[in-house]
């Protein structure tokens, strides 16, 4: 029983590719798509389980590839013979199954076989559009003798680093009302970097990101938006991410957020996922300052390609190894925290560590820590809390100077509390207290 494929390949190679598919394989070309819109429509209609796309297909990006995967369509990248730049571009888009345009029928058959399920013709059941290049190479060698004609190559960029341990991703989230998400994220990243671990701080707040202002990074270019844009177009690599995330302190890099909230559509989920995944190779710790809203924009759920304002936050939480849920220590802040934890509990993310910020007796009464613990145990089932005391004057001075607490007030109570949280993640004692010389752009 033949299986159907879609093609969206440049005119120069389309005729030959279709001929080889129909005469040299048991595959059937369901549609020869003229452009990306035609390809997405055919995939949504369930016409095939595999699509073959060329590196120069106009508007091909990670969002389009995610749409194809959502439709159950595996993707094979096709590049001109000998064009290493085109092959690299396809791999950076997230397409691991790539073949040269002059590949013979045996290799094309092996590539599609590796993408499709054992039951041929089961359109829409492909679990993932990616293929292990080594498995594909072995399959091809077994069937074709590995004669070298149009063979698939491993991704040279990632092969050396696969053996290296990946970094840890920590998402800092909190409900609406300015509970101190950015303050905690900035100072947590600073403390982690001071333990000697390379750290990346990412501003993913699509409502009011302000990491750049907190650290006096005056460059208006939004690093996170630039990184997601490059990822979306398949041009982001590790050196490129490092260039977009300058060091603001020894061992601490920063991807600044969008300067205007209206630019949130630039942070698409597939591109954000790639940036955060790549960040694990750039730094030992990645700390993400998330937005407050956890809504999934259900009114847009009928259109899987529509941008979603909370995609950056939801993606960061889903990818995180650890989640810090921060709330303000006052009656309103605690109520919002309880409701936020209920929303957080239904998301696919790790169990959060709850941090209550701005702890003071004037807001909740005597013995504030015990009273807050009793309330959160009763209403949210929280068994363990971390507290950061109110230290308004110190935090104001640090913000005015554009410095983290470790530099502006190393002996402050708030700094010591956040350093203790960092120690839990770093697995080592905090660096000696002292001032560091910060570099600003």
């Amino acid at each position: 029983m033949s299986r159907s494929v879609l093609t969206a390949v440049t005119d120069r190679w389309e005729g030959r590719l279709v001929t080889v598919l129909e005469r040299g394989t048991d595959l059937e070309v369901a549609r020869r798509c003229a452009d990306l819109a035609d390809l997405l429509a055919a995939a949504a209609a369930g016409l095939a389980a595999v699509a073959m796309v060329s590196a120069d297909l106009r508007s091909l990006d990670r969002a389009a590839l995610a749409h194809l995967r959502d439709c159950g369509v595996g993707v094979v990248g096709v590049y001109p013979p000998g064009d290493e730049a085109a092959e690299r571009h396809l791999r950076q888009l997230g397409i691991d199954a790539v073949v040269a345009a002059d590949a013979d029928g045996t290799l094309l058959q092996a590539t599609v076989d590796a993408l499709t399920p054992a039951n041929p013709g089961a359109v829409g059941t492909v679990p993932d559009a990616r293929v292990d290049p080594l498995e594909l190479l072995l399959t091809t060698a077994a069937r074709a003798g590995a004669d070298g004609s149009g063979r698939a190559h491993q991704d040279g960029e990632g092969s050396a680093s696969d053996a290296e341990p990946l970094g840890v991703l920590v998402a800092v989230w909190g409900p609406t009302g300015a509970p101190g998400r950015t303050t905690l994220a900035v100072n947590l990243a600073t403390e982690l970097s001071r333990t000697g671990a390379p750290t990346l701080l990412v501003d993913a707040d699509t409502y009011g990101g302000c990491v750049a202002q907190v650290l006096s990074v005056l460059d208006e270019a939004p690093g996170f938006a630039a990184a997601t844009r490059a990822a979306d177009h398949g041009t982001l690599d590790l050196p490129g991410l490092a260039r977009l995330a300058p060091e603001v302190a020894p061992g601490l890099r920063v991807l600044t957020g969008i300067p205007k909230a209206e630019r949130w559509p630039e942070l698409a989920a597939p591109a954000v996922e790639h940036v955060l995944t790549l960040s694990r190779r750039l730094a030992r710790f990645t700390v993400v300052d998330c937005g407050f809203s956890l809504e999934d924009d259900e009114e847009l759920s009928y259109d899987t390609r529509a941008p979603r304002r909370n995609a950056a936050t939801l993606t960061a939480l889903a990818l995180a190894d650890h989640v810090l849920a921060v709330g303000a220590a006052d009656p309103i802040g605690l109520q919002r925290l309880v409701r936020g934890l209920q929303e957080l509990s239904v998301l696919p993310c790790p169990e959060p560590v709850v941090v209550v910020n701005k702890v003071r007796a004037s807001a909740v009464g005597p013995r504030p820590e015990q009273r807050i613990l009793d309330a959160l145990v009763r209403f949210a089932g929280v068994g363990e809390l971390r507290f950061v005391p109110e230290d308004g004057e110190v935090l104001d001075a640090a913000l005015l100077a554009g410095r983290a607490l470790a530099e502006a007030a190393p002996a402050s109570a708030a700094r010591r509390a956040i350093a203790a949280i960092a120690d839990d993640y770093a697995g080592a004692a905090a660096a000696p207290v002292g001032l560091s010389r910060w570099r600003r752009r």
Side-chain angles (χ1 to χ4, degrees):
M1 181 178 179
S2 64
R3 285 168 291 172
S4 299
V5 299
L6 304 171
T7 63
V9 182
T10 185
D11 294 341
R12 179 182 177 187
W13 298 103
E14 184 185 31
R16 181 195 179 280
L17 181 64
V18 170
T19 300
V20 173
L21 286 171
E22 293 185 337
R23 296 182 181 179
T25 70
D26 65 359
L27 307 172
E28 177 184 351
V29 179
R31 184 189 292 272
R32 299 167 67 172
C33 302
D35 52 28
L36 180 61
D38 191 10
L39 174 65
L40 296 178
L47 298 184
V50 174
M52 293 190 170
V53 300
S54 60
D56 58 352
L57 179 63
R58 187 181 297 273
S59 299
L60 181 65
D61 54 22
R62 285 186 172 270
L65 293 172
H67 181 75
L68 290 173
R69 288 194 293 270
D70 291 340
C71 294
V73 176
V75 181
V76 177
V78 180
Y79 61 92
D83 191 341
E84 295 183 359
E87 180 188 4
R88 187 184 313 111
H89 174 66
L90 290 169
R91 293 195 183 280
Q92 288 177 339
L93 281 173
I95 305 174
D96 289 338
V98 297
V99 294
D102 61 352
D104 58 18
T106 304
L107 178 58
L108 293 176
Q109 182 76 60
T111 305
V112 174
D113 287 347
L115 279 175
T116 53
N119 178 22
V123 177
T125 60
V126 180
D128 198 337
R130 300 186 179 186
V131 176
D132 183 355
L134 180 57
E135 179 183 349
L136 177 59
L137 188 62
L138 294 175
T139 303
T140 305
R143 301 189 56 169
D147 60 358
S149 174
R151 63 185 181 276
H153 301 279
Q154 287 198 46
D155 185 0
E157 178 188 347
S159 58
S161 61
D162 289 341
E164 300 177 1
L166 295 178
V168 176
L169 183 65
V170 181
V172 180
W173 173 86
T176 186
R181 293 182 302 270
T182 300
T183 298
L184 180 60
V186 168
N187 287 283
L188 176 64
T190 301
E191 297 298 339
L192 289 170
S193 69
R194 290 168 66 86
T195 66
T199 303
L200 173 64
L201 174 61
V202 180
D203 188 348
D205 190 344
T206 54
Y207 291 87
C210 56
V211 168
Q213 288 77 14
V214 170
L215 292 178
S216 293
V217 180
L218 302 180
D219 192 347
E220 289 295 327
F224 193 35
T228 55
R229 185 164 52 249
D232 205 26
H233 294 118
T235 59
L236 183 68
D237 54 13
L238 203 57
L241 181 59
R243 286 193 297 270
L244 293 171
E247 275 199 345
V248 297
L252 177 61
R253 294 180 178 272
V254 175
L255 272 179
T256 54
I258 52 178
K260 296 182 179 180
E262 64 192 29
R263 295 182 60 178
W264 64 263
E266 298 179 30
L267 306 181
V272 169
E273 179 180 356
H274 180 62
V275 173
L276 295 182
T277 301
L278 192 61
S279 72
R280 295 178 183 271
R281 294 171 51 195
L282 180 65
R284 180 70 183 91
F285 291 99
T286 299
V287 179
V288 184
D289 181 14
C290 301
F292 67 88
S293 180
L294 300 178
E295 295 177 359
D296 197 19
D297 301 330
E298 293 181 356
E299 69 276 7
L300 300 177
S301 61
Y302 68 90
D303 186 355
T304 57
R305 297 201 71 201
R308 301 187 180 189
R309 183 162 192 174
N310 304 321
T313 293
L314 296 174
T315 300
L317 291 171
L319 294 177
D321 300 298
H322 306 281
V323 174
L324 289 177
V326 55
D330 58 67
I332 295 176
L334 293 174
Q335 181 191 49
R336 289 171 173 170
L337 177 61
V338 169
R339 293 178 177 176
L341 290 174
Q342 293 173 349
E343 297 178 24
L344 201 63
S345 65
V346 301
L347 296 179
C349 66
E351 185 75 17
V353 174
V354 179
V355 180
V356 179
N357 192 26
K358 309 176 185 178
V359 177
R360 59 205 185 277
S362 59
V364 295
R367 300 175 61 228
E369 289 87 355
Q370 187 60 48
R371 293 173 66 91
I372 293 171
L373 176 60
D374 293 341
L376 291 182
V377 168
R378 177 182 178 185
F379 295 106
V382 177
E384 181 180 358
L385 293 178
R386 306 303 296 266
F387 296 98
V388 178
E390 171 71 12
D391 215 344
E393 292 184 3
V394 167
L395 289 168
D396 287 345
L399 181 60
L400 180 62
R403 301 168 182 263
L405 289 174
E407 183 179 9
S412 66
R415 187 260 167 154
R416 291 197 302 270
I418 297 175
I421 299 174
D423 288 346
D424 291 343
Y425 294 125
V433 173
L435 302 182
S436 61
R437 289 178 294 180
W438 289 61
R439 296 197 299 273
R440 291 183 176 76
R441 300 177 66 194

